[in-house]
Amino acid sequence: EVQLVESGGGLVKPGGSLRLSCAASGFTFSTYTMSWVRQAPGKGLEWVSSISSSGSHIYNRGSLKGRFTISRDNAKNSLYLQMNSLRAEDTAVYYCARDQQYSPLDIWGQGTLVTVSS
Amino acid sequence: DIQMTQSPSSLSASVGDRVTITCRASQTISGYLNWYQQKPGKAPKLLIYAASSLQSGVPSRFSGSGSGTDFTLTISSLQPEDFATYYCQQSYTEPPRTFGQGTKVEVK
């Protein structure tokens, strides 16, 4: 079964850090671009970051101003999102999704909730 | 970046109604437009890709059309399980993967 499973969310204080993980199974992870998409409570979907299959190309949402770093380990079939200097407005459910240029985000994880609050 | 604008932001409809949602891109995206359905507490689900191709397992009452900058999602006969929020998204360019703001389909 093709599957993505996120982990690592939780409650963190403003200014803190968190690392999200996404474990992939059922497909050849190393051949796909992967993306993170978030959804703040009651809001729409917002693309966060993408990484090419080899990791050589990385794309980030400009408004994040370098606070978030996407990475991957193809040997472990895993995607990561390192989030630093977290703010209240980063509170959201974070989804990982399988991606490819010209293709849709066809596989999504169940999401992991990140809450930034003092 | 390409901006995606959906309309309406919400609509009220009854079971059996024909529902149409539109999505406009700020510049041409050829046919690289995707539609997702999201229910509360769940991850988005791909419905339509490449403007008009039905994802495997999606009921045929869903259809998509359009090219260039203007696109449409149609539900031919709304079913109880179709009350949800729908998002369009372009995959024409390299990231960012821009989404429309969503259309919530509610019970009339």
Side-chain angles (χ1 to χ4, degrees), chain A residues 27-42:
Chain A
F27 66 99
T28 307
F29 179 75
S30 61
T31 64
Y32 285 88
T33 293
M34 297 294 295
S35 293
W36 287 99
V37 175
R38 69 182 181 182
Q39 186 171 38

Side-chain angles (χ1 to χ4, degrees), chain A residues 11-105:
Chain A
L11 175 63
V12 61
K13 290 181 168 56
S17 298
L18 213 53
R19 189 195 196 205
L20 306 183
S21 299
C22 171
S25 59
F27 66 99
T28 307
F29 179 75
S30 61
T31 64
Y32 285 88
T33 293
M34 297 294 295
S35 293
W36 287 99
V37 175
R38 69 182 181 182
Q39 186 171 38
K43 301 297 184 181
L45 300 170
E46 181 177 85
W47 171 82
V48 172
S49 187
S50 298
I51 186 168
S52 63
S53 56
S54 66
S56 59
H57 292 86
I58 286 174
Y59 309 87
N60 292 306
R61 186 173 193 83
S63 60
L64 296 174
K65 297 190 188 307
R67 296 185 296 117
F68 291 9
T69 302
I70 192 172
S71 63
R72 65 190 297 159
D73 185 335
N74 286 342
K76 294 184 177 180
N77 291 335
S78 293
L79 175 72
Y80 306 102
L81 186 67
Q82 177 68 42
M83 303 185 296
N84 298 329
S85 303
L86 283 161
R87 306 168 180 171
E89 55 264 35
D90 297 319
T91 294
V93 175
Y94 286 74
Y95 297 100
C96 62
R98 191 172 78 171
D99 195 353
Q100 206 77 307
Q101 191 172 0
Y102 304 124
S103 295
L105 299 167

